[in-house]
Amino acid sequence: MTMRHADVNGIKIAYGVRGSGPPLVLIMGYRLSSLAWPLDFIDALAERFTVVLFDNRGTGASDKPTIGYEISNMAKDVCGLLDHLEIARANIVGYSMGGAIAQEFVRQFPDRVLGLVLCATMCGGPRAIYASPSVVRVMRELDGLKPEEIARQIWKVTYSPRYLEEHRELAEDQMRREIVAPTPLHAADLQFQAFAEFDCSKALPHIQAPTLVLTGELDQLVSPQNSKFIAGLIPGAGLIIIPGCGHRLFWEATDECAGFVVEFLANHCEGPRDSAAVPVSQDGQSPLTDFVDFLTPAVELFTKWPWMLAGAGVDTMAISRQSIYFGGHAQFGDGKPIILVPQIGNNLPFILLSNWLRVLGYRPVTTGIFASFDDQSIANLIHATTQRVGRKAVLVVSASGVPLASRIADAHKDRVSDIVVLNASHRSDIALGVRAHFISSGWSLHFAMAALPQVLRNIRIELIEAPSSGAPRPSHTKRQLSAKGEQK
């Protein structure tokens, strides 16, 4: 299939079109491009539909900016592509994170959806069931790995064990196709962040498009319970659970899945027939359930707080929906490397802060308390950390460590983008060309844990090698935060 490019939503999106019939858009999942779709699956769909495949931003032959990966924005990418192709309405198939994009697309643009198929996905929100900590670590701890090593690590939790045992060569062939255009780590981190923060649960009861929900019985990454929950919220939705399949059910049961998708969408386009999908009862949610949904994240946060501070293997995907401000929005990190520079007498708070940042999805490391500018270990730490992640680091220091941090940042401008100063009573002098952010308050670990993630979210990712797209940032800015975390 010949891939073309469309100017969509401020970037270039690569896409291909195959087949004839009613339009059908396929939306791929986390860190994969359109090359990942099973070839037989596309062939089967193209016999009945005009199949539109595309590479999500950050993947394949599409642009890979350092901004714009929110699920709501990626849904706008889909809309822009349909506009480019002059398709007024289309069937939508979304897999995994692509299923989240599909849900958001139908929420924003309900009149543009003919039929909807959601596969191996979740809707987010307080009642979503996230993967276990061990599975999340498999998906996240990819620093420094080659594309084929990443693929082999991830498939341990995406394929079912039996499939890998019986079809290892097919998995290898599939992996070779997928890594032709590997997804850079910054794009994978930003996609993961977006999926972790996604919540479309309140919008699902308003979906009017005919909907089919597919899931694998053995899915470790996105529990089948999520599909049951989605199908229970969308009016009239059907649910199919395929026995013996893991997260990659389109690959493990290609013919069966293609048959379900074609039959469902053809029924919708050509009239009703018998369907294998099981309708799910639409029970109204009671006020008590609403209260439990609000309360549960707060309770879980308090029970897990000691473990988070201790740096234990906490379920980061679950923590991502538990805003430290109850009633606020869940926030998850973008994987930026954070270098904490403690001073003598305040090492323990920095260790606890490091554990908290790791739980939130950043990559923190801590220097020794006797670090000095002439210490070669600091230069080695900065170089190794940024080289492994492929982007510039942010230094975090207390007010007393500003002179040291300023000299470090000035000496490593190609590796350090910003300095965040905790317990800042005034604006200290920072080396020219290094952005500074000041958090003003008496030293408080809890306040730092609350305010620092907000500051880090406002610091845009900077790649060691300049990104291919995106406007340049100002070279020098200073920000002051009050005790409420508001910028001044």
Side-chain angles (χ1 to χ4, degrees):
M1 184 183 304
T2 301
M3 298 295 283
R4 302 165 184 165
H5 284 86
D7 291 323
V8 168
N9 199 15
I11 63 171
K12 290 188 180 298
I13 291 289
Y15 72 94
V17 180
R18 181 174 176 183
S20 61
L24 170 59
V25 179
L26 302 183
I27 309 178
M28 182 45 73
Y30 167 67
R31 76 177 299 126
L32 295 176
S33 73
S34 60
L35 291 171
W37 291 107
L39 301 179
D40 291 344
F41 184 71
I42 297 174
D43 289 341
L45 297 182
E47 292 179 1
R48 300 289 293 272
F49 300 95
T50 299
V51 180
V52 177
L53 306 97
F54 71 99
D55 297 337
N56 284 317
R57 64 171 60 211
T59 70
S62 291
D63 282 349
K64 302 168 180 63
T66 57
I67 57 174
Y69 290 82
E70 300 84 356
I71 297 297
S72 60
N73 198 50
M74 295 179 78
K76 291 183 176 68
D77 291 346
V78 179
C79 184
L81 179 59
L82 291 181
D83 290 343
H84 174 82
L85 295 172
E86 299 182 346
I87 296 175
R89 303 181 70 197
N91 297 292
I92 305 293
V93 174
Y95 166 72
S96 192
M97 185 194 74
I101 298 171
Q103 293 170 64
E104 179 63 22
F105 179 83
V106 74
R107 186 192 72 79
Q108 291 189 46
F109 313 103
D111 295 336
R112 307 200 64 170
V113 180
L114 292 169
L116 180 65
V117 179
L118 303 174
C119 179
T121 191
M122 64 170 62
C123 62
R127 296 171 66 187
I129 298 176
Y130 295 93
S132 67
S134 59
V135 171
V136 172
R137 284 195 292 272
V138 169
M139 300 297 294
R140 287 282 291 173
E141 295 179 0
L142 310 174
D143 304 11
L145 298 180
K146 298 177 181 178
E148 59 268 26
E149 294 172 332
I150 292 174
R152 293 191 183 100
Q153 174 172 305
I154 288 179
W155 78 24
K156 296 175 184 177
V157 297
T158 53
Y159 287 113
S160 66
R162 182 174 179 178
Y163 182 86
L164 277 180
E165 181 181 347
E166 297 178 356
H167 303 287
R168 178 79 180 210
E169 290 186 4
L170 291 179
E172 286 281 347
D173 290 343
Q174 176 67 30
M175 179 267 290
R176 293 296 174 191
R177 284 202 304 275
E178 293 175 4
I179 65 173
V180 168
T183 299
L185 185 59
H186 80 271
D189 281 345
L190 290 167
Q191 286 189 357
F192 193 98
Q193 177 188 44
F195 198 18
E197 296 183 347
F198 172 69
D199 181 2
C200 199
S201 57
K202 293 182 180 179
L204 297 189
H206 304 290
I207 291 179
Q208 299 299 314
T211 302
L212 174 66
V213 183
L214 289 170
T215 188
E217 176 192 25
L218 305 179
D219 194 337
Q220 299 180 64
L221 187 59
V222 181
S223 168
Q225 290 298 120
N226 291 292
S227 292
K228 295 178 182 178
F229 184 49
I230 290 173
L233 288 177
I234 299 176
L239 172 67
I240 296 177
I241 302 176
I242 301 182
C245 285
H247 187 64
R248 279 189 174 239
L249 64 162
F250 280 157
W251 293 260
E252 297 186 40
T254 303
D255 293 341
E256 191 175 3
C257 288
F260 287 138
V261 172
V262 169
E263 179 187 23
F264 174 78
L265 295 179
N267 286 351
H268 167 63
C269 294
E270 302 169 6
R273 302 176 188 173
D274 294 335
S275 174
V278 178
V280 179
S281 61
Q282 312 293 322
D283 296 327
Q285 189 163 313
S286 67
L288 177 60
T289 303
D290 288 334
F291 176 73
V292 171
D293 287 350
F294 171 79
L295 184 63
T296 298
V299 173
E300 291 182 357
L301 182 60
F302 277 117
T303 58
K304 293 179 179 178
W305 188 270
W307 298 103
M308 289 187 284
L309 292 183
V314 190
D315 186 345
T316 54
M317 285 288 281
I319 296 301
S320 70
R321 66 183 172 90
Q322 299 167 359
S323 172
I324 51 180
Y325 298 108
F326 304 128
H329 297 290
Q331 295 190 343
F332 195 75
D334 58 15
K336 274 193 292 283
I338 312 297
I339 297 178
L340 299 125
V341 187
Q343 298 295 292
I344 297 175
N346 66 355
N347 191 38
L348 179 58
F350 273 81
I351 293 175
L352 298 178
L353 190 59
S354 174
N355 293 336
W356 173 240
L357 291 175
R358 184 173 293 106
V359 166
L360 289 183
Y362 295 98
R363 291 184 172 90
V365 295
T366 306
T367 68
I369 58 175
F370 297 103
S372 66
F373 176 74
D374 297 327
D375 191 343
Q376 185 60 36
S377 65
I378 289 185
N380 294 340
L381 179 66
I382 292 173
H383 185 274
T385 301
T386 55
Q387 191 68 28
R388 185 174 65 252
V389 181
R391 67 198 77 154
K392 293 184 179 181
V394 176
L395 298 183
V396 177
V397 298
S398 60
S400 61
V402 168
L404 173 61
S406 180
R407 294 185 67 192
I408 293 174
D410 187 43
H412 301 279
K413 288 180 180 178
D414 58 333
R415 299 278 172 168
V416 175
S417 66
D418 297 74
I419 297 176
V420 179
V421 183
L422 305 175
N423 193 24
S425 58
H426 64 280
R427 299 190 180 190
S428 305
D429 291 330
I430 303 292
L432 189 65
V434 178
R435 289 176 294 275
H437 313 261
F438 298 91
I439 298 177
S440 61
S441 172
W443 170 254
S444 166
L445 175 62
H446 289 88
F447 176 77
M449 292 175 67
L452 182 55
Q454 294 184 60
V455 177
L456 295 178
R457 287 182 70 86
N458 292 328
I459 298 176
R460 180 173 162 181
I461 284 176
E462 286 196 38
L463 305 181
I464 294 178
E465 296 180 0
S468 58
S469 63
R473 297 184 61 199
S475 62
H476 183 66
T477 58
K478 291 188 179 183
R479 295 182 175 90
Q480 176 84 11
L481 266 74
S482 68
K484 292 183 179 180
E486 299 172 339
Q487 289 186 357
K488 290 184 177 181

